[in-house]
Amino acid sequence: MTELASGKLILDRPAEAVARLRLNNPDKRNPLDHEVLDAIAATLPELADGIETRCVIITGTGRAFSAGYDIGAIPEETFERDAEALVAHPFHEAMEAVSSHPYPVLAAINGHCLGGGLELAVRCDLRLCAAGAKLGMPPAKLGLIYGHTGLERFIDVIGVAYTRELFLTGRNLDAERAERIGLVNQVAPDDQLEEASVQLASEIAGNAPLSMTGNKRVIETLARFPRLTPKQEEELVELRRSCFASEDFREGIRAFAEKRRPRWQGR
């Protein structure tokens, strides 16, 4: 276990090829402050080095996943400057680090997940949610106009209609409704979430590294650019073609035929 951001972020490895980042400031509902955001932005690229970590879990300590931006602690006399600075730089960098991570990232939403905390979860590839969690976006109740890059991610995940509902009403959704609209992939009993998240992450991490990174890249490209340019299409075709020459593809075929676990090399 490694403490980051003065102990407000914990890095551990609960299973083979799985790393877990745990937001760890439960008394304040795990807010996203400068230290935490900078640590997320710095740590995820390190976890992308090699194939030792093939899935990352992001979760929280206590009864909340994250209550979002830590803007309540900003002094009133510097509020305008510091609030904008928090949202504009460290938050953006951390969110982009999650989105651009080459391997799958799983949000294990252990409790209330609000504002920037919900965007952090939405930036992950998959979301496993505790049955008792509440998820919501309060900008309409705070006078905040949300960043277009964040809104774009919500539209990608739940579509325009539900994004409008989430942002224009400011209501919190229960886990069951969040699953129905596609905001989360799966709901687990509160006391089983941690075990379920590690089990799912282990299943993901057992898959072929080149396949996961390649498929994630293709999905991300198609989500960002519904109409591909000829160059983009050529790059994706070449990416798929490259797998046929890989050692891992041959190993996967052999292991399947021999009914054994593959020994991936990431090449």
Side-chain angles (χ1 to χ4, degrees), residues 69 84 87-88 91-92 95-96 115-116 119 123 137 139-140 143-155 163 167:
Y69 303 138
E84 184 177 3
V87 174
F91 185 80
H92 176 76
M95 296 304 106
E96 288 301 311
E119 184 180 340
R123 292 280 186 149
M137 263 293 171
L144 173 67
I145 298 174
Y146 211 76
H148 70 280
T149 54
L151 280 163
E152 185 178 38
R153 292 288 170 171
F154 280 90
I155 291 170
T163 299
F167 280 83

Side-chain angles (χ1 to χ4, degrees), residues 137 150-169 181:
M137 263 293 171
L151 280 163
E152 185 178 38
R153 292 288 170 171
F154 280 90
I155 291 170
D156 286 344
V157 171
I158 59 175
V160 173
Y162 289 128
T163 299
R164 284 189 175 125
E165 177 185 341
L166 196 64
F167 280 83
L168 300 183
T169 68
I181 69 172

Side-chain angles (χ1 to χ4, degrees), residues 10-68:
I10 303 294
L11 170 64
D12 69 347
R13 294 184 173 274
E16 182 182 351
V18 175
R20 179 169 55 193
L21 288 171
R22 186 186 297 275
L23 301 165
N24 187 48
N25 192 0
D27 291 343
K28 300 177 89 174
R29 298 194 300 169
N30 302 323
L32 302 174
D33 61 20
H34 279 262
E35 262 193 310
V36 169
L37 293 167
D38 286 343
I40 291 172
T43 303
L44 280 169
E46 294 174 359
L47 295 175
D49 188 16
I51 64 169
E52 289 75 20
T53 302
R54 300 193 293 275
C55 186
V56 177
I57 300 171
I58 299 179
T59 191
T61 299
R63 300 179 62 183
F65 177 80
S66 175

Side-chain angles (χ1 to χ4, degrees), residues 61-243:
T61 299
R63 300 179 62 183
F65 177 80
S66 175
Y69 303 138
D70 188 19
I71 57 178
I74 299 175
E76 186 173 347
E77 59 270 19
T78 61
F79 184 85
E80 180 178 350
R81 181 196 68 199
D82 292 350
E84 184 177 3
L86 173 65
V87 174
H89 179 62
F91 185 80
H92 176 76
E93 294 295 320
M95 296 304 106
E96 288 301 311
V98 176
S99 294
S100 63
H101 192 71
Y103 290 103
V105 182
L106 167 65
I109 304 172
N110 56 294
H112 287 16
C113 182
L114 307 171
L118 184 54
E119 184 180 340
L120 175 60
V122 165
R123 292 280 186 149
C124 297
D125 298 290
L126 297 169
R127 286 161 292 285
L128 182 59
C129 185
K134 299 288 186 183
L135 300 87
M137 263 293 171
K141 299 184 181 300
L142 301 174
L144 173 67
I145 298 174
Y146 211 76
H148 70 280
T149 54
L151 280 163
E152 185 178 38
R153 292 288 170 171
F154 280 90
I155 291 170
D156 286 344
V157 171
I158 59 175
V160 173
Y162 289 128
T163 299
R164 284 189 175 125
E165 177 185 341
L166 196 64
F167 280 83
L168 300 183
T169 68
R171 295 173 183 165
N172 290 341
L173 307 182
D174 61 26
E176 182 181 352
R177 178 83 198 291
E179 184 180 27
R180 283 205 307 271
I181 69 172
L183 188 57
V184 301
N185 299 90
Q186 185 180 338
V187 176
D190 292 5
D191 61 351
Q192 297 176 27
L193 179 80
E194 182 169 342
E195 180 183 355
S197 66
V198 174
Q199 184 177 0
L200 178 56
S202 295
E203 180 183 350
I204 292 169
N207 292 327
L210 292 178
S211 179
M212 287 193 293
T213 58
N215 287 330
K216 179 171 176 174
R217 180 178 164 189
V218 174
I219 292 168
E220 180 74 7
T221 301
L222 293 174
R224 300 266 69 77
F225 307 100
R227 296 177 64 89
L228 298 179
T229 66
K231 181 179 179 182
Q232 288 172 321
E233 188 163 4
E234 182 182 346
E235 288 173 351
L236 295 187
V237 168
E238 183 56 38
L239 177 63
R240 180 173 184 271
R241 186 180 293 124
S242 68
C243 81

